[in-house]
Amino acid sequence: MVMGLLAMALAGCGNGYSHVVDKPQSEVVAALEDLDITAQPGNPGTDPKASGGTLPDIRLEKAADHMTWWVMSGDKVAISMTANFEPLDGGKRTRVTTSVARGDAPDDSVSPAFRSVGITSGLFSLAVEGELNKLTDGPRASAEDCREMIEKWREAGEAEAEMRPQERPQNLSQAIGEGARNTIKLQAMADALRRRGCPTGGGGAFAPVSSEMKPADDSDAPRPRETDSADTSGDGIPDN
């Protein structure tokens, strides 16, 4: 239910996102190299049964003023996600603007999250926002402080539910509106946790953060691979 409402809320996000980061472009690019669209809500593109048995191939193109993630279905483009960079204040700051474009791969061979520009744009914006936020994260709070924040929000949520019982949406518009409100609340909570230095990725209970390097994930989930060159032909398909 939560994932369904989140998907409907993301579908209304439109196509585009803009964020000004108080960091030079080189640091922004380095941060976005770790972006993993498959780690976003719903783990998009990780279930080949949802796309006719085709697991998407994600390719990363880096150019002087942008980065583009191409989601390929065989030899066709399912969707492309681009982050454009604009240096500000002599290069001390960077404006990051995103856009998404649907390719010509048929829906039957494309994961549901990559068929809709609106949903993909929302997922891509969340992924970009998460990576950019890491550039300005403050010192980490203790695990106990993080748990205390979550507990206070839980108590406040239960009190609000008792005072204002939740009514079942009567139509699609109401469901989308409620989903959007929930998404905004969750984003505000995530931002508050991030500002306190609480980790917001992954799952499980809060625990002290380890600096130990972990081995790479060996799952079958698609991971971006960097292309050798940009789309110099301009045909909307990565050159390799």
Side-chain angles (χ1 to χ4, degrees):
M1 177 64 175
V2 174
M3 289 310 304
L5 288 175
L6 177 58
M8 285 189 289
L10 291 176
C13 287
N15 185 4
Y17 159 89
S18 182
H19 186 118
V20 175
V21 190
D22 291 331
K23 297 290 182 180
Q25 180 176 323
S26 59
E27 293 188 35
V28 171
V29 170
L32 292 183
E33 285 177 338
D34 293 333
L35 184 146
D36 181 8
I37 190 67
T38 65
Q40 299 313 301
N43 302 109
T46 60
D47 182 7
K49 291 183 291 186
S51 52
T54 302
L55 197 65
D57 174 24
I58 303 176
R59 307 180 189 178
L60 171 60
E61 167 207 324
K62 292 196 297 184
D65 60 350
H66 72 270
M67 296 170 71
T68 296
W69 288 260
W70 303 84
V71 181
M72 306 294 297
S73 178
D75 61 351
K76 295 184 180 297
V77 177
I79 208 160
S80 62
M81 303 166 287
T82 300
N84 293 289
F85 310 120
E86 178 188 356
L88 304 174
D89 297 339
K92 296 179 181 178
R93 307 165 71 213
T94 307
R95 176 180 285 112
V96 182
T97 306
T98 66
S99 61
V100 170
R102 181 69 165 90
D104 59 354
D107 283 355
D108 289 347
S109 63
V110 176
S111 299
F114 298 140
R115 296 173 192 167
S116 165
V117 168
I119 290 177
T120 305
S121 181
L123 293 169
F124 184 47
S125 296
L126 288 174
V128 170
E129 175 82 0
E131 295 301 328
L132 296 182
N133 283 341
K134 294 177 184 178
L135 290 175
T136 54
D137 279 352
R140 292 196 177 274
S142 68
E144 182 59 35
D145 288 341
C146 296
R147 283 193 293 267
E148 183 178 344
M149 290 181 68
I150 292 293
E151 181 62 20
K152 288 182 178 178
W153 284 331
R154 184 188 66 78
E155 293 175 352
E158 290 179 349
E160 180 182 359
E162 290 180 1
M163 295 176 59
R164 186 177 65 86
Q166 187 70 38
E167 295 183 1
R168 185 179 183 86
Q170 300 300 309
N171 52 53
L172 180 60
S173 295
Q174 290 183 5
I176 292 176
E178 184 64 25
R181 284 190 290 272
N182 290 334
T183 301
I184 291 171
K185 287 182 179 180
L186 290 172
Q187 186 63 56
M189 292 178 182
D191 288 344
L193 287 170
R194 178 181 56 79
R195 287 192 295 269
R196 289 289 300 276
C198 300
T200 57
F206 289 111
V209 178
S210 171
S211 60
E212 179 184 358
M213 293 294 289
K214 301 295 183 182
D217 184 5
D218 60 354
S219 69
D220 293 330
R223 292 290 183 267
R225 60 184 178 87
E226 189 171 331
T227 64
D228 294 333
S229 60
D231 174 28
T232 53
S233 62
D235 60 357
I237 300 176
D239 290 345
N240 62 324

